C-alpha cells in the first residue's frame, strides 16, 4: 500500500523550476544521476524548522571601514574604473594588498544597493579569515563552510535567498547558493586546484560552472587572481591591473659548506667591514 504524506517540512521549494532544470543539466554533463547531484547542491532540510528562521542572520553593523595608503588608494580607484560596466571580468593583480580593499568596497556597496555579494575562496581557513576581517570593518559578513551544521546551512540559504544576508563568504561547497538578479559573484584565485572536485561525486570544476550560474541568475562575475589567470573561453572582458613591471631576478651563488655569499666571504677574508 502506498504511504501517505503526513506533513510537508518546508512548503517553499529550495529552488525554482528554471534553476532545477539547470542543476539537472549539470548532473547530465558530469554523468551522474539528478538525485545525487541535487543532494550535493542543495542544503538538507532539517526535521524541525524554526519559525524565526533567518531572523538571527539579519543583524546590522555600523560601517566603519579602515583606511589604505595613498598609493594603494590610487590602485583601488584605477581598478574600480577598469571594472566599471562589465558583467564578467577576470582581474589579475600583482599586489595582493589590493584584494581586501576591493572586497570591502564591494561589500559596502551592498549596504545601499541591497544586491548580494557572494565571495568564493578555495580554502576554508581563508574564507573564515575574510569573513572575520570584513566584520572588523563593520560589514555583517557571514561564512558558509563544509563543516557547518545542516540547520545553519539551511537557514543561511533561506536568508540569502530573501536578501536578509547580503554578504556571504564560502568555499566550493557553497557554489549553488541562490543568487539575486544584479548581485555579484567574486571568485578569488582561479589558479587554485581546490576548485576541482575530483575525488568524490559529483566531479566538477567550480570555475566552469560559476559563469553559467552568473548568467542564469543575472549576476555579474569577477575573478581576482594575484597571479596569472587560467585561460577561460567564456570571458567577455579581461583586464590586467598589474601596476608594476616584472622586477629583475638576482641570483647569488653560495659556496658549498657555507651560508654566506661569495662576496661576503671575500670581504671577510680581506678583513673588510
Amino acid at each position: 500500500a502506498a504511504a501517505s504524506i503526513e506533513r510537508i517540512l518546508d512548503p517553499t521549494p529550495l529552488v525554482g523550476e528554471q534553476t532545477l532544470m539547470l542543476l539537472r543539466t549539470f548532473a547530465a554533463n558530469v554523468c551522474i544521476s539528478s538525485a545525487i547531484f541535487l543532494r550535493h547542491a542543495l542544503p538538507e532540510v532539517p526535521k524541525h524548522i524554526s519559525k524565526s528562521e533567518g531572523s538571527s542572520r539579519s543583524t546590522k553593523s555600523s560601517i566603519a571601514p579602515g583606511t589604505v595608503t595613498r598609493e594603494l588608494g590610487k590602485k583601488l580607484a584605477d581598478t574600480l574604473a577598469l571594472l566599471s560596466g562589465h558583467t564578467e571580468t577576470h582581474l589579475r593583480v600583482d599586489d595582493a594588498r589590493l584584494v581586501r580593499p576591493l572586497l570591502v568596497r564591494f561589500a559596502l556597496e551592498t549596504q545601499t544597493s541591497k544586491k548580494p555579494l557572494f565571495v568564493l575562496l578555495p580554502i576554508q581557513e581563508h574564507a573564515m579569515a575574510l569573513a572575520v576581517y570584513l566584520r572588523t570593518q563593520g560589514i555583517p559578513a557571514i561564512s558558509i563552510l563544509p563543516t557547518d551544521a545542516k540547520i545553519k546551512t539551511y537557514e543561511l540559504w533561506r536568508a540569502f535567498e530573501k536578501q536578509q544576508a547580503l554578504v556571504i563568504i564560502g568555499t566550493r561547497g557553497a557554489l549553488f547558493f541562490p543568487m539575486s538578479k544584479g548581485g555579484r559573484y567574486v571568485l578569488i584565485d582561479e589558479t587554485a586546484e581546490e576548485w576541482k572536485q575530483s575525488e568524490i561525486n559529483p566531479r566538477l570544476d567550480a570555475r566552469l560552472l560559476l559563469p553559467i550560474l552568473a548568467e542564469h541568475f543575472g549576476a555579474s562575475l569577477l575573478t581576482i587572481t594575484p597571479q596569472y589567470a587560467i585561460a577561460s573561453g567564456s570571458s567577455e572582458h579581461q583586464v590586467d591591473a598589474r601596476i608594476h613591471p616584472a622586477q629583475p631576478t638576482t641570483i647569488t651563488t653560495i659556496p658549498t659548506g657555507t651560508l654566506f655569499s661569495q662576496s661576503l666571504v671575500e670581504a671577510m677574508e680581506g678583513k673588510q667591514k
Side-chain angles (χ1 to χ4, degrees):
S4 60
I5 298 176
E6 296 182 359
R7 67 190 181 96
I8 298 176
L9 290 174
D10 190 348
T12 307
L14 287 171
V15 293
E17 182 178 355
Q18 295 299 319
T19 301
L20 183 61
M21 292 175 59
L22 179 64
L23 295 179
R24 286 175 171 169
T25 301
F26 286 160
N29 290 341
V30 295
C31 301
I32 196 171
S33 72
S34 296
I36 294 178
F37 194 94
L38 292 175
R39 183 173 182 179
H40 168 78
L42 305 180
E44 183 177 351
V45 179
K47 295 181 179 180
H48 302 284
I49 300 175
S50 171
K51 293 182 179 180
S52 60
E53 160 229 322
S55 60
S56 62
R57 305 294 177 187
S58 58
T59 56
K60 296 182 179 180
S61 299
S62 58
I63 305 301
T67 59
V68 296
T69 63
R70 182 174 298 177
E71 176 192 4
L72 195 59
K74 185 180 184 305
K75 290 184 180 182
L76 179 62
D78 292 343
T79 304
L80 289 170
L82 287 171
L83 298 177
S84 178
H86 300 286
T87 57
E88 182 177 340
T89 309
H90 297 261
L91 181 66
R92 296 171 291 179
V93 297
D94 71 339
D95 192 341
R97 298 176 305 162
L98 189 63
V99 176
R100 282 190 170 183
L102 266 176
L103 296 178
V104 169
R105 177 62 179 266
F106 296 149
L108 288 174
E109 290 177 358
T110 67
Q111 310 303 309
T112 54
S113 68
K114 303 302 178 185
K115 301 298 183 181
L117 172 66
F118 192 174
V119 183
L120 290 168
L121 291 96
I123 300 174
Q124 176 171 304
E125 289 75 12
H126 295 174
M128 294 173 61
L130 177 61
V132 171
Y133 172 77
L134 290 177
R135 287 196 290 268
T136 63
Q137 303 301 304
I139 299 168
I142 301 172
S143 60
I144 177 67
L145 306 168
T147 54
D148 290 335
K150 63 181 180 180
I151 183 63
K152 178 187 176 183
T153 304
Y154 173 82
E155 288 184 352
L156 284 177
W157 181 286
R158 287 304 194 192
F160 197 57
E161 181 181 50
K162 298 175 182 178
Q163 296 188 352
Q164 294 172 333
L166 292 175
V167 181
I168 294 285
I169 314 297
T171 56
R172 183 188 65 211
L175 178 66
F176 300 103
F177 258 59
M179 173 59 84
S180 301
K181 184 177 179 61
R184 186 197 298 270
Y185 285 107
V186 179
L187 182 141
I188 306 296
D189 191 7
E190 65 175 347
T191 63
E193 286 298 315
E194 285 81 1
W195 297 121
K196 290 183 179 179
Q197 181 167 290
S198 56
E199 299 299 325
I200 60 174
N201 281 325
R203 289 170 170 81
L204 50 82
D205 191 326
R207 296 166 294 188
L208 301 180
L209 299 185
L210 192 56
I212 302 174
L213 289 168
E215 182 179 2
H216 172 76
F217 288 114
S220 61
L221 170 61
L222 169 65
T223 62
I224 304 176
T225 303
Q227 302 173 6
Y228 288 98
I230 63 172
S232 174
S234 62
S235 173
E236 296 178 2
H237 181 69
Q238 294 196 28
V239 295
D240 191 337
R242 289 173 295 168
I243 307 300
H244 305 294
Q247 298 298 315
T249 302
T250 301
I251 300 177
T252 302
T253 302
I254 300 178
T256 304
T258 177
L259 295 177
F260 305 121
S261 66
Q262 183 63 39
S263 58
L264 181 57
V265 171
E266 293 174 356
M268 291 188 297
E269 289 177 349
K271 297 182 180 181
Q272 301 176 28
K273 292 184 179 180

